[in-house]
Amino acid sequence: LKERNFLFCCLIIRGLYAVLYASTYLLPLLMQQLMGYDATTSGFVLSPAGLFTMVEVPFVGFMLTRGYDPRKMVFGGLLLMASSLWWMASMSLDAAEWNFIVPRIVQVLGMGLITVPVSTMIFRFIPKTESSQAAGLYALVRNEGGSLGIAAVSTLLQRRAQMFQQTLGQHVTASNGLVQQVVGQAVAGPGNAADNHYFALAEIYAAMQRQAMMLSYMEQFKILCGVLVCMLPLVFFLKRPPVEKHIALDAH
């Protein structure tokens, strides 16, 4: 960790995988919990992003062999991932499938711009005698980041949902005009007035719970976006690896 590139690449990778795993945990949970998707459908919604990664990674490798600065790729990838998470934070309960597919594609495109250049820079200045130990530490940091990301958002998601529910509940009172209107229409409907009154209150409470949970999801995406923005300055501490010269056919 005394080597500067290895240290800051480990910090970037730790935060990157924390954000990636956390968002991968949140998206299908959001679709199944609030949107009514089943597990298969939510998987199909997230799967197109993998096709774009398959196309992008070879292109990124080609750009690196042509001498492109990997630090610029890492910076651009962090911006792409941050923008995708901010995009996810603007969704509502009326979001369609494309509102999940497109931001996820942007996110994995940013991920592809980061992982390959970081793998190029992280071991470039490490002595070969220490490469195996460095690889083990790199894998540990990456896996630890993913575990911390999932643990953090799963805890914050429930706690913030309770806080939002308490905040929204302060406005759902018997003196609220909209509450009176909904309850009045239900009581005036067919059936037993007391039962209709109870069911109307239950529907209001269920709607409030869904809105509180959605607000909590949106806040988690904003937090993950903020983590990536805070990681942007770390790129400026990275050293650019020397460009390896290759014999090109077009040089003749």
Side-chain angles (χ1 to χ4, degrees):
L1 293 176
K2 292 182 179 179
E3 203 288 304
R4 192 175 73 190
N5 263 31
F6 186 79
L7 171 62
F8 287 104
C9 283
C10 282
L11 293 176
I12 291 173
I13 285 296
R14 182 177 182 178
L16 180 70
Y17 273 82
V19 171
L20 177 67
Y21 278 64
S23 60
T24 305
Y25 165 80
L26 289 173
L27 282 174
L29 190 64
L30 167 62
M31 288 186 283
Q32 296 176 44
Q33 187 176 18
L34 298 180
M35 306 293 186
Y37 288 64
D38 55 28
T40 303
T41 306
S42 61
F44 279 126
V45 170
L46 298 180
S47 60
L51 300 176
F52 287 84
T53 305
M54 294 172 60
V55 177
E56 181 193 24
V57 170
F59 174 75
V60 172
F62 172 77
M63 293 297 294
L64 291 174
T65 59
R66 304 296 292 183
Y68 195 82
D69 192 345
R71 296 172 299 179
K72 294 181 180 179
M73 290 186 177
V74 174
F75 193 87
L78 290 174
L79 285 178
L80 273 180
M81 290 189 68
S83 62
S84 69
L85 288 165
W86 188 261
W87 191 349
M88 295 176 190
S90 64
M91 290 189 296
S92 67
L93 292 173
D94 298 323
E97 291 181 358
W98 283 105
N99 297 115
F100 295 97
I101 295 175
V102 179
R104 180 65 174 179
I105 291 175
V106 175
Q107 184 186 38
V108 298
L109 287 176
M111 184 73 180
L113 283 176
I114 299 172
T115 53
V116 179
V118 166
S119 299
T120 301
M121 292 185 290
I122 191 169
F123 300 113
R124 189 63 181 83
F125 301 98
I126 294 290
K128 292 183 179 180
T129 56
E130 301 178 6
S131 58
S132 59
Q133 291 87 348
L137 183 58
Y138 172 68
L140 172 65
V141 169
R142 183 178 58 192
N143 294 333
E144 185 185 46
S147 301
L148 288 174
I150 294 176
V153 296
S154 61
T155 302
L156 288 174
L157 181 66
Q158 298 300 325
R159 291 184 178 180
R160 299 300 291 176
Q162 294 174 3
M163 188 277 294
F164 284 120
Q165 181 176 332
Q166 182 180 3
T167 303
L168 294 176
Q170 296 175 358
H171 304 280
V172 183
T173 60
S175 60
N176 185 285
L178 292 176
V179 174
Q180 294 175 353
Q181 180 181 354
V182 172
V183 173
Q185 292 176 351
V187 171
N192 185 278
D195 291 341
N196 292 342
H197 182 272
Y198 171 79
F199 289 131
L201 293 178
E203 290 180 359
I204 293 173
Y205 179 68
M208 183 182 66
Q209 281 186 313
R210 294 182 72 234
Q211 293 292 343
M213 184 61 70
M214 188 64 193
L215 288 172
S216 182
Y217 276 106
M218 294 169 63
E219 186 178 71
Q220 303 313 306
F221 289 128
K222 290 180 180 179
I223 291 175
L224 296 177
C225 175
V227 171
L228 292 176
V229 172
C230 292
M231 288 166 53
L232 287 174
L234 299 179
V235 180
F236 297 100
F237 292 96
L238 298 175
K239 297 179 290 185
R240 180 175 181 176
V243 179
E244 297 181 1
K245 296 182 180 180
H246 299 277
I247 299 176
L249 295 177
D250 56 2
H252 297 281

